[in-house]
Structure formats: C-alpha cells, structure tokens
Amino acid sequence: MKLSKLKISFILAAISFRILLDTSYLNIISPLYEYSGFLVNLSVARYCLSWLIYLCAFIFVTARLIKVSDYFFVTALLSIIAPLTSLVGLDSSRSIFPVLVVVLSIFIIYAITRIKLISFSRLPTIKNGCRIAIFTASLFVVALMFWYYIAGVKFNLDFSKVYDFRADNAELSSRGILAYTNNWTYKIFNIFLIGFALHYKKYLVVVMLVLIQIFFFAATAHKSVLFLPFLMLGVWFYFRKTNSLVILPLAFSGIILMTLASYYLLDDIWLSSLFSRRVFFVPANLTFVYFDFFSQNPQVLWSNSVFSSFVTYPYDISMTHVVGRYLGKEDMGANNGFIASGFAHAGLLGVLFYALIIGFILRFLNDVTRNLMPIWLAVGLTIVPLRDLLVSSDLFTVMLTHGLIVTLILIYFARAKREFS
C-alpha cells in the first residue's frame, strides 16, 4: 500500500519523537534520577525489540483526524507506547510483559472502533437537544458561581499560594455530591459552553466564559482549571482549519528538544524534570511498578469502589497510596491510567474489561458525532478525560469524578446536523 506524504511525515515525526525521548533518558533522566528507578541496562536485542513493538503500534494510528478515536490512538502512541518502549529498550532489566499488555489493550480498543457489526449511528437525535444541553450547562455554571460566594471560599490568583487555599476551599464548597458537580462544572460544562460559543462565533461570550473559568481557578486553587479553556481554544484554532495530526508528534518532539536545549545551553534541569520525566517517563515507570506490585500482592477487585459492599478491601490505605508506599514514599498517591489500574483490580481480566468499555465509548463517540458535530468540537470536549484515562486515572474515576459520562450525555444531546451546517 502506497503511503501518502502526510502519513510519511507523521511516521518520521513519531520516530523522531521516540529518538528524542531515548536521548533525553540516556543523557538527563537516568543520570540525574537513577535513584528513582530510571536505570540504563543496554542490550542490543532488547533495544531492537522495543523499536519493533513501537513501529508495529503505528497500525493503530492515522495521520488525519476524522473521528474522535483517531486523536485517542495518536495520544496513546505518543504518551504511553513511546515512553514505555523507550524504558524497556534502554533498561533490559525491566519485564517486557507490561508493554505487550498495553499494546494488546490498545489493539482491542482499536478493533472495537473498527468492527462494522457494532454501530450507534442509528440512535435518534434529541429534539431541541442542543438547547437543552446549553441551558443545563449554563445553569450549572451560574449556580456554582453563586455557591462559591455563599460557601465563603477565599479567592486567590497567585500561583505560588494555591496550596494554601486548596484544601480549605474544597472543605467549604465541595462536600457530598458537590464534589462531583463542582468538578463537572469547571471541567465539563463551562468548557462545553466555550466550545459552542466558538462555533457560533460569539467571541465576546468566549471572553466572558474564560473570565468565569479564571474565577473558578481562583476558587478551586487548581492550576489545571485555568488551562482548560486554552486547550479548547487551541483545538478550535488548529483543527477547524486542517485535519492533519502531524502537529502532535511535531509538538511533542519540540517539547523534548526544548528540554534538551535548556539542559545543555542553560544547565537547567527544570524543564526536563517537568516534561521529559514527569509527563512521559513517570507514568510509564508507574505502569511497570503497578504490574510488579499487583502480580505479587492481592488485587483490589474494585473493593474500593463499586464492589465495596461485596468484597473486602485488602489494604489499609488507598490503592494509589499503596503503590506510593511500595516505592518508599508514604505520602505519595501514585495515580496511573486505565491499564495499570485495571491490572491492579483484576489482572489481565481487569485490563481486558476496561479496554472493552473504552472501545465502546470511543465507538459511541465516533458514531454519534459523525456528520452531526464538528470534529474539533468533539475532540475539544473529550481531550482531557480521554488523556486522563491513558495516563493518570482509573476508568470509573474518569467516568464519574472527571465527568466523562456527563460529556457523553452532553455530546449526545447537542449533536444535530442543523446546528452545525
């Protein structure tokens, strides 16, 4: 099969990203953070095998954004598979088993999104669904603004003081079900409104909603809240003009190049620690840690959540803190993505179970948004929860606490050909 120029560009960019990751690991991450388990044990055979696995994973990705799942698989390749194969290639003492499980789980998700027997395309649109979704989102946003004043939270815009306010403000404003609804409001509902305001070219409304998001940041003291609108703006700005996904491996490569330049030219390790280590290698390393620990110790079997009434939880602290303690850091909550948490719950069956659910979620998103919603809007609404699934949170946590279920409902209600024609 003849490859298009765009596909060749994507492949070369993705290969360059993996080379840069390897370079960063060998020259900065391992020498400076060897004490955290970032070792180098080179084996030519293992290194070649790691590249073979990485290149085989290209079967999952496309160079063009046509469906929501296209973005998901490129993110999986760059955020999970690239750093995992880099670690297992440069440290031959690591087991290759977790890497194979990761690739297998992504393949299962990919297969579900491709099977023609499964389709949600015939699900009916909701009459006035877009108006209902916008009204509901607006109601939650206005309600939360008033609630923060009523609850008496202390507002802060100083990045250096966020930790001084976060716990106290959460105690005042996020008790019980509000812990969920507040989270949905500033992570889902307001971003949803920003996306629709951009679509309708209501730029003054966009400015107002961004200011509201800054208000939410001042009340929550979570820095991530402040950056969510700009993520939506970036997706809107780029993908409304083109469907090329080459920008992702190029951007990721640019980030690693920036960290290398900062280290060699300025003798600064902050950028390498923040991006190369924290964004890419720490989540990858935690995948190995989860597999190692829960292969030798009792699995959780969702006894800390949905099966808490039927199964006894086997530990005295939360699952993430159990892993943190295993790493020698008692206060560390070692969060990781659906593959690690699925394995922690039920081994390979847990990973398979999660992969099946995620496959159906992506198939649902692909089918219900096709020709009924701009792809940039669908991606902008799902980009954060889907990335959380991959690198930082359990599936059920993302669905409920992070609001993925709410996002799916909003998208299903809002889709309508006449709204986006």
Side-chain angles (χ1 to χ4, degrees):
M1 183 179 65
K2 187 177 180 180
L3 296 175
S4 67
K5 291 182 180 180
L6 188 65
K7 183 69 172 182
I8 293 171
S9 299
F10 179 90
I11 291 172
L12 292 175
I15 289 173
S16 299
F17 173 63
R18 166 68 201 273
I19 292 172
L20 288 168
L21 274 183
D22 290 358
T23 302
S24 178
Y25 185 85
L26 285 171
N27 293 282
I28 303 175
I29 304 304
S30 180
L32 296 177
Y33 299 98
E34 184 178 6
Y35 64 89
S36 295
F38 295 112
L39 309 176
V40 173
N41 293 287
L42 287 175
S43 161
V44 173
R46 173 60 73 84
Y47 189 67
C48 291
L49 179 58
S50 76
W51 268 101
L52 178 61
I53 295 171
Y54 182 60
L55 294 175
C56 286
F58 282 29
I59 193 175
F60 306 136
V61 298
T62 176
R64 294 190 183 278
L65 178 64
I66 308 299
K67 308 179 294 294
V68 174
S69 62
D70 295 334
Y71 194 94
F72 175 86
F73 291 122
V74 171
T75 304
L77 176 74
L78 301 175
S79 297
I80 299 183
I81 298 176
L84 276 173
T85 53
S86 182
L87 282 180
V88 83
L90 297 173
D91 182 3
S92 59
S93 66
R94 294 177 183 268
S95 169
I96 204 165
F97 177 67
V99 183
L100 296 177
V101 172
V102 168
V103 174
L104 175 61
S105 66
I106 301 298
F107 174 76
I108 291 170
I109 296 170
Y110 177 78
I112 294 173
T113 64
R114 305 279 291 187
I115 294 173
K116 294 183 179 180
L117 294 176
I118 304 170
S119 178
F120 297 96
S121 299
R122 295 184 178 181
L123 290 174
T125 57
I126 306 297
K127 185 178 180 180
N128 297 319
C130 191
R131 294 180 180 181
I132 294 171
I134 292 174
F135 174 78
T136 303
S138 302
L139 189 64
F140 273 87
V141 168
V142 172
L144 183 58
M145 293 174 65
F146 279 106
W147 171 241
Y148 278 142
Y149 276 113
I150 294 170
V153 301
K154 297 178 181 178
F155 299 99
N156 167 65
L157 291 172
D158 187 341
F159 269 46
S160 65
K161 297 180 179 179
V162 291
Y163 297 108
D164 298 335
F165 292 85
R166 184 177 298 174
D168 290 340
N169 283 356
E171 179 68 22
L172 288 169
S173 64
S174 300
R175 297 179 181 180
I177 194 172
L178 292 175
Y180 296 101
T181 59
N182 291 357
N183 212 32
W184 299 342
T185 301
Y186 52 72
K187 281 191 172 183
I188 306 298
F189 289 125
N190 201 45
I191 306 306
F192 173 84
L193 293 174
I194 290 173
F196 270 81
L198 288 169
H199 171 71
Y200 291 126
K201 300 180 181 179
K202 304 292 186 181
Y203 300 123
L204 287 178
V205 176
V206 172
V207 172
M208 180 189 70
L209 292 169
V210 170
L211 291 175
I212 290 173
Q213 192 74 8
I214 295 172
F215 170 82
F216 288 155
F217 158 70
T220 63
H222 282 285
K223 289 179 281 188
S224 61
V225 173
L226 189 60
F227 295 110
L228 292 177
F230 301 101
L231 193 58
M232 172 62 85
L233 284 164
V235 170
W236 165 78
F237 181 79
Y238 181 79
F239 286 115
R240 72 191 171 101
K241 298 180 179 180
T242 178
N243 63 0
S244 170
L245 285 167
V246 178
I247 186 65
L248 294 181
L250 286 177
F252 281 30
S253 296
I255 290 171
I256 303 302
L257 274 174
M258 180 178 62
T259 66
L260 290 168
S262 173
Y263 178 73
Y264 285 110
L265 299 179
L266 304 176
D267 196 28
D268 173 62
I269 66 167
W270 183 75
L271 286 178
S272 291
S273 176
L274 178 64
F275 291 109
S276 299
R277 185 185 68 90
R278 184 67 189 88
V279 173
F280 295 108
F281 287 117
V282 167
N285 183 60
L286 283 175
T287 299
F288 290 101
V289 172
Y290 266 76
F291 273 72
D292 181 56
F293 181 83
F294 289 103
S295 293
Q296 305 173 53
N297 295 280
Q299 290 164 352
V300 177
L301 297 172
W302 295 279
S303 57
N304 61 341
S305 56
V306 293
F307 289 160
S308 58
S309 299
F310 310 101
V311 183
T312 301
Y313 182 64
Y315 302 102
D316 59 339
I317 52 178
S318 71
M319 186 174 79
T320 57
H321 282 85
V322 166
V323 177
R325 184 168 60 187
Y326 179 62
L327 290 170
K329 301 175 181 179
E330 291 287 339
D331 297 327
M332 176 183 177
N335 297 301
N336 210 338
F338 80 92
I339 295 169
S341 60
F343 191 84
H345 282 295
L348 289 178
L349 288 177
V351 178
L352 173 62
F353 176 57
Y354 277 2
L356 290 172
I357 294 176
I358 294 169
F360 280 105
I361 289 173
L362 287 175
R363 185 56 185 263
F364 174 84
L365 285 169
N366 288 346
D367 289 347
V368 302
T369 58
R370 185 182 296 124
N371 300 322
L372 295 173
M373 179 175 286
I375 186 61
W376 69 262
L377 182 55
V379 169
L381 294 173
T382 57
I383 186 173
V384 172
L386 290 181
R387 190 180 187 281
D388 288 343
L389 271 179
L390 287 167
V391 299
S392 65
S393 296
D394 180 74
L395 171 61
F396 292 142
T397 301
V398 172
M399 291 179 72
L400 186 59
T401 306
H402 295 197
L404 180 56
I405 288 179
V406 176
T407 302
L408 297 178
I409 294 171
L410 283 175
I411 287 175
Y412 182 70
F413 269 76
R415 68 192 187 112
K417 185 173 292 186
R418 61 185 178 83
E419 295 289 344
F420 303 107
S421 58

